[in-house]
Amino acid sequence: MIEAIKNLFIKKETDLTEFIYQGAFILDVRNKDEFSKLRIKGSVNIPLNELQNNLHMLNEKSRVIITCSESGVKSLSAKNLLKINGYSKVYNGGEWQNLYNKIKQNEHSLL
């Protein structure tokens, strides 16, 4: 009974690294200067203020997309924008540095 109540209020965290290893599209919505300094390998940069006009770059609406940004605020906005535009499998990866660290940590556990 207590577990059922917990499940109503506690949302389990999605394992984004599993999606990444399966080929998820990582969308970094930081500005171009921030992205050019440090980034997640394979990620694509479309700054949040340019996202609406560049949705065509994301191709398939059923593809898994993970958004990330400097603090996680813009990535949440990007996730919401994509959902409104029909993208069904969008996850907020939050801060790009935390997402990067999760990926690196899992790479080491796979060795």
Side-chain angles (χ1 to χ4, degrees), residues 17-24:
T17 54
E18 185 63 34
F19 287 137
I20 291 167
Y21 292 126
Q22 293 174 1

Side-chain angles (χ1 to χ4, degrees), residues 77-91:
S77 295
K79 174 194 168 204
N80 292 335
L81 175 70
L82 293 173
K83 288 277 192 178
I84 288 168
N85 281 280
Y87 293 85
S88 58
K89 298 176 184 173
V90 185
Y91 299 90

